[in-house]
Amino acid sequence: MAETVARHLVATGQLIDEDPEEALAHAMAARRLASRISAVREAVGLAAYHAGEWQTAIAELRTYHRMTGLQSHLAVLADCERALGRPERAIDLFRGADSDKLDKAVAIELLIVAGGARGDLGQKDAAVAMLQVPELTTEVAEPWTARLRYAYADALLAVGRREEAREWFSRAADVDTDGETDAPERLLELDGVVIEGDDEDDEPAEESTSDPDASGAAPARPDADLPEADDLADQDADLDEDDAVDSEDPDEDDADLEDDDLDDDEDDDLDRGADDSQGDDSQGDEADDRDAVVARSGDAPDAATPAGGGTAPADTRPVDGREPEADQR
């Protein structure tokens, strides 16, 4: 088990800068196996801090401090409090720290965080005053010198002391050999120098031609509103086929239309005959004879037939089974 925990801790240290989430996963795996080891709780707290898990980082690092009696991560705890929107707690950590027992690097880092917390509270002049410590002008650059000068320059800029801020950004850039800060970029901003991107990024985007007034183009329509090409082809084929069938024999089509007209006339006469049969039996027999003649002749009822149905005048009925002459109609 000890070997497995050690492998997880090594992986945490290797991944904490490049992949903090994966580093935190390894640290949590080690904690499940050995939660009573202070180095494991420290690894979980630092990995959680880099991964942005502020509450987890606070809980684990406080546990580490209780287990060891050390205060080596007060600056990290104070920064977590700032990230959670509690700058006053960060200042309390700074005030309550025993400076005699703190390492110089830890004390400077805690001072930087406390100065930032003053700025969060709107106490910008107090932030400038806090950071005016002798370590600002040290001749020998320490690992924390660049960050301290950068924080002081940023505090000066916040209160409008632009020229002094530029001086301290320059002094921070002089000792920042590892590129921990962006002091050179801040200097360029103060000097009004704008770093342009690639020429490709500066090229204007092509104008859209969806405007109906541009080049006479029609308004753009969503593709969902347009029929598919295959559907259009199928519809054209169906129309061509119907036209071909209709044009094969025009005489046959005319005959079909005449038959339809005869069928409609027969239906109308049958309906009138049915109405007459309900009134008088003799009139029903005459109506049946008349319907038979109409069916044999194929002629529609003439204009003398009442529009509402009923019995036709006597002079329009056939005599001896023959059709009446044209002048008798």
Side-chain angles (χ1 to χ4, degrees), residues 254-268 300:
D254 295 339
D256 293 338
L257 291 174
E258 292 178 358
D259 292 341
D260 292 338
D261 293 338
L262 291 175
D263 292 339
D264 293 338
D265 294 337
E266 292 176 3
D267 293 339
D268 293 338

Side-chain angles (χ1 to χ4, degrees), residues 42-63:
E42 181 185 27
V44 174
L46 294 177
Y49 172 72
H50 282 80
E53 300 291 339
W54 316 117
Q55 290 286 10
T56 301
I58 290 173
E60 294 297 317
L61 291 177
R62 283 179 176 173
T63 300

Side-chain angles (χ1 to χ4, degrees), residues 251-300:
D251 296 336
E252 183 178 349
D253 295 337
D254 295 339
D256 293 338
L257 291 174
E258 292 178 358
D259 292 341
D260 292 338
D261 293 338
L262 291 175
D263 292 339
D264 293 338
D265 294 337
E266 292 176 3
D267 293 339
D268 293 338
D269 293 335
L270 289 174
D271 292 338
R272 286 194 295 271
D275 294 337
D276 294 339
S277 62
Q278 295 176 1
D280 182 72
D281 292 338
S282 60
Q283 292 179 355
D285 294 338
E286 292 175 355
D288 292 339
D289 295 338
R290 185 172 62 255
D291 293 337
V293 172
V294 173
R296 286 196 303 272
S297 63
D299 295 332

